[in-house]
Amino acid sequence: MEAKKKLTLSELISNADKIKAKKTETRELYVKSLGATITIMKPSRTTVLDSYEIGEGEGNSFLVYECVTEPSFKDTELQAAFGVTGYDVLDQILDSGEIDSIAKEIVDFAGYGKDSVSVVEAVKN
């Protein structure tokens, strides 16, 4: 079993810029129905919690609407072309399960996945 390193305050301080930069990371996701990629940004804790408060389904649409940066689903010209406003545009553009799949990727990207934190077992003598 691999030994886990203890994080120190001085390491946090010396890596402050690097840690801050990770908060603005983006990822590319391939969307099969579109035959192209979209860009998602890492959501803030507030955005994720707001999506949970809205509830599954609508909350997933909110999360995708807020976190897809390219193409921007917030574009008013895009919404006008589909005859809708707000995140209703997602239902016009994406296949049924894609909104939920993209939302899951966004939540995992924010560190809410199963593998982001683990318990360190104490070594028995």
Side-chain angles (χ1 to χ4, degrees), residues 14-29:
S14 67
N15 290 318
D17 290 337
K18 185 177 176 182
I19 293 168
K20 288 179 197 175
K22 289 184 84 172
K23 298 286 185 185
T24 59
E25 287 179 322
T26 61
R27 280 190 184 162
E28 296 285 315
L29 300 179

Side-chain angles (χ1 to χ4, degrees), residues 37-83:
T37 63
I38 60 172
T39 304
I40 61 169
M41 67 177 186
K42 191 177 280 189
S44 68
R45 183 171 188 263
T46 303
T47 301
V48 173
L49 293 177
D50 286 349
S51 75
Y52 287 167
E53 191 173 296
I54 293 169
E56 199 168 344
E58 291 286 318
N60 286 346
S61 293
F62 168 79
L63 200 55
V64 171
Y65 186 74
E66 291 297 318
C67 296
V68 172
T69 60
E70 191 62 37
S72 174
F73 294 123
K74 296 177 181 180
D75 184 83
T76 54
E77 189 176 340
L78 174 71
Q79 293 177 15
F82 284 93

